[in-house]
Amino acid sequence: PLAQAAIASQSASAWACCAALFSVAAMLLSAIRFGRLPREIVFAVAKGMYGRSKRCYRLAHRRVMKELDHMYFLRHRRPRDMRTMWITRINPAAREHGLVYNRLISGLHRANVHLDRKTLCTLAETEPVTFKILVDEAKRIVYPRMAGTDRDLSQF
């Protein structure tokens, strides 16, 4: 039984290897490799477009390529926009406690507090006490008190 199981596992792995090679070979020999999308894919993406661009292959191909390029651009722009939104929400929350965004982030990194901007934004909105603790920790690191330099203001 063990020998049969070993042979079966070898044949299964060989089959998986052949299937992977076949899919790679099919991809290399397909029309997509030469930069031409098949008609079925073009018309499937162009479904719902206005005018002749959903019926004529040449017009549909132009519109589909433009739309796919636009979707690629937007997909890569979305994380930038989200990061900007998080920063614009963290900054006023940090300023309420007397620390600007730049010093907050550098203080947290120097204090080995590894929180991303999404988490900081969530904490600033939903947990103000926890966010104040983080701001105080960043202040402690950014503005250290030197020993013996406490200012005596009683003589003024």
Side-chain angles (χ1 to χ4, degrees), residues 58-72:
R58 180 180 289 182
L59 298 174
H61 188 268
R62 286 184 197 154
R63 286 278 304 270
V64 164
M65 293 307 287
K66 189 173 184 80
E67 182 179 349
L68 291 176
D69 184 48
H70 186 66
M71 288 169 58
Y72 177 87

Side-chain angles (χ1 to χ4, degrees), residues 37-50 53-54 60-69 71:
L37 293 176
R39 295 174 65 87
E40 298 84 20
I41 294 176
V42 170
F43 286 127
V45 175
K47 193 174 196 178
M49 291 183 178
Y50 290 108
S53 57
K54 66 182 172 189
H61 188 268
R62 286 184 197 154
R63 286 278 304 270
V64 164
M65 293 307 287
K66 189 173 184 80
E67 182 179 349
L68 291 176
D69 184 48
M71 288 169 58

